[in-house]
Amino acid sequence: MGASVQQSFIWLPAGLLPLPLPLPLPLPPPLLLKGSMTFHKGPSQRSPPPPGYPPARQLKRWPVTWQSVKPEPPGKFVIQVFKDFQQPFTGRYPTSHRIYSMPVPQEPLRRVAVTGGTHGNEMCGVYLARHWLQAPGELQQPSFSAVPVLANPAAAAVCRRHIGCDLNRSFTKALLTASPTPDEPYEVTRARELNQLLGPKNSSQAFDFVLDLHNTTANMNTCFIVNETDLFAMHLCHRLQLQNSESPSWILVYQPPESETFSLDSVSKHGMTIEIGPQPQGVLQAKLFYRMRSLVASTLDLIELFNQGTAFPAFEMEIYRLLEYMEFPRTEEGDLAGMVHPQIQDQDFKPLQPGTPIFQMFSGKDVLYEGDSTVYPVFINEAAYYEKNIAFMKTEKLTVSVPALPVLTPSPAH
Amino acid sequence: MTEKPIKKIAIFGGTHGNELTGVSLVKHWLQDGTEIQRTGLEVKPFITNPRAVKKCMRYIDCDLNRVFDLENLGKKISEDLPYEVRRAQEINHLFGPKDSKGSYDIIFDLHNTTSNMGCTLILEDSKNDFLIQMFHYIKTYLAPLPCYVYLIEHPSHKYATTRSIARYPVGIEVGPQPQGVLRADILDQMRKMIKHALDFIYHFNEGKEFPPCTIEAYKIMEKVDFPRNENGEIIAIIHPNLQDQDWKPLYPGDPVFVTLDGKTIPLGGDCTVYPVFVNEAAYYEKKEAFAKTTKLTLSAKSIHSSFH
Ligand SMILES: [Zn+2]
């Protein structure tokens, strides 16, 4: 089929892509470190964590490890920020509160990578990575040049999420340090290669920053996925959120703070994932492509600003933190018995009250949400999560106070 | 004109294993078929590509919806044959044989597209009074929800569709829905299309006379590939102005593609076209960015069943 194809088009010169300029923010006097990150918590209830941390592919429910923190009115706990790897400052909160330790950059970030095609059918990253591999000029900044990486070339070649297993769940210590075997999944081998290229994970030789590009079929607009202990990334996504004000953008914390990280952007010292949707798998939509490209440019601009000694002052922002998965209703044979209810379809990040219908059964019956508190669903009806039996993920909304970053002294001053 | 009453109907789902609306409806009807039963009719729901459904992929070896030509259907069975060709022969045995008296009267084949095509009925023969009457009925009862008729009658494009083994083949295509996703709104629309189609057949068998009618249809002209470089790599993508604009008029000079460097590529030629299957995921590998159609009016004579 499709024998006659017309290609008689005229090539018109047109404007170049609009790449946003770095947004100069009003700068209050720079705060020094030893600040605290305060979380105002809602009264949500969570189930106890399973022992240990199962391999990502067998994950059924999120292991919620941070709930040992007792919510106290108004419910606060502290993330300690400190220089280097010294003893954390315990602050004014009782020791029952969780204390996180995390490094902040003391030097300019010079080794930066932008990875696309980690999932081979998420086309914005696939096309951007391929484009930059041929024309990397767009990724150059005065103080560094970001390296483009097509993370899962085999999956991208056949336009599938993965070949053997999910690459973005394969950066665990166990998988990265296991001896290679001939029958291991392709992605496990590839994760080790990427760990060599961009890591090794948790080492001083690791890249300073990895920006990983994804698409979702869910209506999540622009979503920045960060590790809440990565103060540098928290600053970046806050600034990006301010710059990207014409379309909604959200900040999602996917990783429980004390669990082992497993995603590609965890091999570097700092990292972040940009998730843009809705876009079907295997489809490239121009608007989303441009938005992703602009966001990458803005991210690199912000890293450059930091490298040049720009202050990143303290701020407060809203984040959404993952609580647990909601599974699809299934028949005894394992087939779907219903689908995401039209009332919550496309309502990612909107409040979901107890009693709201969440599933519509094929019989016509509705299933209501039975929680006892308002949650914020995300990744609603994401294609890739059917095989994991996840209909959506519940999150809680929090306001966090994020302390300032240290201000780098411009290099010539040394 | 009089036509024989309809006896045997099949509803196919999962011809493409990652188009979940048909898969889910057919699986549901296999459990509880009450809503598709009509007095005097045998209505059989059927999963056509179970292995692709299980893996949630379009197909295992090749596109099942393109192999129902007499050559493939006549091939000697062997292990080397693609899975879908072997499966096509089984389906032809169960519901055909193609072009024979024993074949099913009507096959509805349920599909989804990632394109913004809404409810679409696919017609293979512009002279088929019975189907034009049926489509007219479905369109009338779906209103105000729009329902488009896509005519794929073309001298050089032969589809060899799964449904083509029936006397009356009907393609049903609803979108936009990503592959591997099931949306309640899309499922509801497809379910209504089937309901009205079965109601029409029931009334026809009852002896109701359907007066002459006309419908608007969009006939395929040609398929347009993405602009590519010497290595066959796509260098321009669907322009934002064209995305989701299926069935809307596209005039010469209107933007069609945009290169990765931001250059706009407009529609050439000198005639208005109506694009369909704009940015359909499954057609990247078929080298089809969209298809151009032309709008026309089809008319059908009055029909009634010969039974009464
Ligand atoms: Zn992804």
Side-chain angles (χ1 to χ4, degrees), chain A residues 39-46 66 69-77 321 323 373-374 376 396-399:
Chain A
F39 291 77
H40 309 287
K41 292 175 53 56
S44 55
Q45 291 283 322
R46 302 183 206 104
W66 58 76
V69 178
K70 284 189 202 126
E72 293 172 23
K76 289 187 170 184
F77 64 99
R321 192 160 54 183
L323 295 172
S373 62
T374 299
Y376 298 81
E396 60 181 347
K397 186 158 85 167
L398 303 158
T399 301

Side-chain angles (χ1 to χ4, degrees), chain A residues 118-119 122 161 168 213-216 275:
Chain A
T118 304
H119 295 134
E122 297 176 3
R161 182 174 175 87
N168 211 30
L213 310 181
H214 289 257
N215 290 119
T216 170
E275 187 82 64

Side-chain angles (χ1 to χ4, degrees), chain A residues 1-17 123 127-128 130-131 134-135 138 159-160 217 278-287 289-290 293 328 331 333 335-342 345-346 360-364 381-384 386, chain B residues 20 24 27-28 31 35 57 66 114 156-159 177-185 187 191 221-229 233-235 237-240 243-244 256-269 279-281 284 286-288 292:
Chain A
M1 53 178 287
S4 65
V5 163
Q6 185 188 336
Q7 287 260 342
S8 59
F9 293 113
I10 311 156
W11 289 66
L12 285 188
L16 287 174
L17 291 177
M123 303 292 262
Y127 272 79
L128 282 171
R130 283 179 182 155
H131 176 67
Q134 291 176 8
E138 206 172 301
C159 197
R160 274 160 53 183
T217 66
Q279 181 174 263
Q281 297 177 341
V283 169
L284 183 58
Q285 292 183 2
K287 272 187 188 161
F289 175 83
Y290 294 147
R293 195 174 187 173
F328 279 107
T331 64
E333 294 77 40
D335 290 325
L336 289 176
M339 53 199 159
V340 167
H341 198 281
Q345 175 72 47
D346 302 327
Q360 190 173 63
M361 308 300 277
F362 298 131
S363 62
N381 219 350
E382 158 59 40
Y386 276 67
Chain B
L20 294 193
S24 304
K27 280 188 176 178
H28 173 64
Q31 299 278 317
E35 75 181 86
M57 288 164 66
R66 302 288 185 273
T114 66
S156 66
H157 296 146
K158 272 278 170 243
Y159 281 84
Q177 180 173 267
Q179 296 176 343
V181 168
L182 183 64
R183 287 183 64 105
D185 49 358
L187 183 129
R191 208 172 193 167
M221 295 162 65
E222 64 176 339
K223 297 170 178 185
V224 182
D225 188 15
F226 292 98
R228 295 175 189 265
N229 64 16
E233 294 157 346
I234 291 173
I235 52 166
I237 58 185
I238 294 290
H239 194 280
Q243 178 70 41
D244 299 329
V256 172
F257 294 110
V258 59
T259 70
L260 300 190
D261 295 322
K263 293 190 190 77
T264 295
I265 303 175
L267 181 71
N279 219 351
E280 157 59 40
Y284 277 65
K286 293 187 197 286
K287 303 196 185 311
E288 181 182 340
K292 294 179 186 172

